[in-house]
Amino acid sequence: MRHLPGHPHTLPRHRRKLADYAAQHFDYACAGGVATITLARPERKNPLTFDSYAELRDLFRAAAECDDVKAFVLTGAGGNFCSGGDVHEIIGPLTRLDTPGLLAFTRLTGDLVKAMLGCPQPLVAAVDGVCAGAGAILAMASDLRYATPQARTAFLFTRVGLAGCDMGACAILPRIIGQGRAAELLYSGRGMSAEEGERWGFFNALVPRDGLLAHAQEQARFLAAGPVFAHGMTKKMLQQEWSMSLEQAIESEAQAQALCMATNDFHRAYHAFVRRETPRFEGD
């Protein structure tokens, strides 16, 4: 594909590299364009802290300016996904904060969800065991979710005297499982079994425990080998079109698809098809 002078694809790209990112508050490894984030405090069922919230937010924000990571996998260590905010390191300190301090915290947690939704790379959650509170939100905010039969997901905010409207739950969860089912989970705080989660569409599939991470990484590798720019556009439109009329959505998709047709990957796919070869996408 030839580019006209001044075409965006002719501009030099100075992109942040995340393949060698050194995480401080979770485990991080990258191979073949797939970065695996492992919440790694298994003795406490992998709770979040102020620091891990902030680092996850910053990592996903940086991912929007990275070209070496094509997909993310988010999982937990030791047979559990995430038990939510650490009781001693978050919940206790919150009881001593004033309202401005509490609002700063809730905005931090919301910013993490916005960063997850805003990063163009697909995000695959591998959920085992406990997936509760903010941990359930992390799974909810992922693009694809795979779980073991032992997974138990609970949006348990009401159990501690809080509203179910936390970190975008009232906006996102009904889109995934429906208004009535979301209302039941958010009002009651009860656990959703893995079978319910799959039947309701929260989980894409259930996978045996010993194959969960490998399955999630395989799915992420499949996505990473695809047209990265186009995947990012799909993710953006999946989110934006909820607030659009049908006419607006169709027009927005026309514009988005035209941009994808201007990429080199679209031309690579055509020429590979003509040659009866598998296209090799490069994300430009």
Coordinates of all heavy atoms in Angstrom, one line a residue, residues 148 207-217:
T148 N -13.1 -21.5 35.7 CA -13.1 -22.9 36.1 C -14.5 -23.1 36.7 O -15.2 -22.2 37.1 CB -12.0 -23.2 37.1 OG1 -12.3 -22.5 38.4 CG2 -10.7 -22.8 36.6
V207 N -13.6 -23.9 31.9 CA -12.4 -24.6 31.5 C -11.9 -25.4 32.7 O -11.9 -24.8 33.8 CB -11.3 -23.7 30.9 CG1 -10.1 -24.5 30.5 CG2 -11.8 -22.9 29.8
P208 N -11.4 -26.6 32.6 CA -10.8 -27.3 33.8 C -9.7 -26.4 34.4 O -9.0 -25.7 33.7 CB -10.3 -28.6 33.2 CG -11.2 -28.8 32.0 CD -11.4 -27.5 31.4
R209 N -9.6 -26.5 35.7 CA -8.6 -25.7 36.5 C -7.2 -25.8 35.9 O -6.5 -24.8 35.8 CB -8.7 -26.1 37.9 CG -7.7 -25.4 38.8 CD -7.9 -25.6 40.3 NE -8.9 -24.7 40.8 CZ -9.4 -24.7 42.0 NH1 -9.1 -25.7 42.8 NH2 -10.3 -23.8 42.4
D210 N -6.8 -27.1 35.6 CA -5.4 -27.2 35.2 C -5.1 -26.7 33.8 O -4.0 -26.7 33.3 CB -5.0 -28.7 35.3 CG -5.9 -29.6 34.4 OD1 -6.8 -29.1 33.7 OD2 -5.6 -30.9 34.5
G211 N -6.2 -26.3 33.0 CA -6.0 -25.8 31.7 C -6.4 -24.4 31.5 O -6.4 -23.8 30.4
L212 N -6.8 -23.7 32.6 CA -7.4 -22.4 32.5 C -6.5 -21.4 31.9 O -6.8 -20.7 30.9 CB -7.9 -21.9 33.9 CG -8.4 -20.5 33.9 CD1 -9.7 -20.3 33.1 CD2 -8.7 -20.0 35.4
L213 N -5.3 -21.2 32.5 CA -4.4 -20.1 32.1 C -3.9 -20.4 30.7 O -3.9 -19.5 29.9 CB -3.2 -20.0 33.0 CG -2.2 -19.0 32.7 CD1 -2.8 -17.6 32.7 CD2 -1.0 -19.0 33.7
A214 N -3.6 -21.6 30.3 CA -3.2 -22.0 29.0 C -4.3 -21.6 28.0 O -4.0 -21.1 26.9 CB -2.8 -23.4 28.9
H215 N -5.6 -21.9 28.3 CA -6.7 -21.6 27.4 C -6.8 -20.1 27.2 O -7.0 -19.6 26.1 CB -8.0 -22.2 28.0 CG -9.2 -21.9 27.1 ND1 -9.5 -22.7 26.1 CD2 -10.1 -20.9 27.2 CE1 -10.6 -22.2 25.5 NE2 -11.0 -21.2 26.1
A216 N -6.7 -19.3 28.3 CA -6.8 -17.9 28.2 C -5.7 -17.3 27.4 O -5.9 -16.4 26.5 CB -6.9 -17.2 29.6
Q217 N -4.5 -17.8 27.6 CA -3.3 -17.3 26.8 C -3.4 -17.7 25.4 O -3.0 -17.0 24.5 CB -2.1 -17.9 27.4 CG -1.7 -17.2 28.8 CD -0.5 -17.8 29.5 OE1 -0.3 -19.0 29.3 NE2 0.2 -17.0 30.2

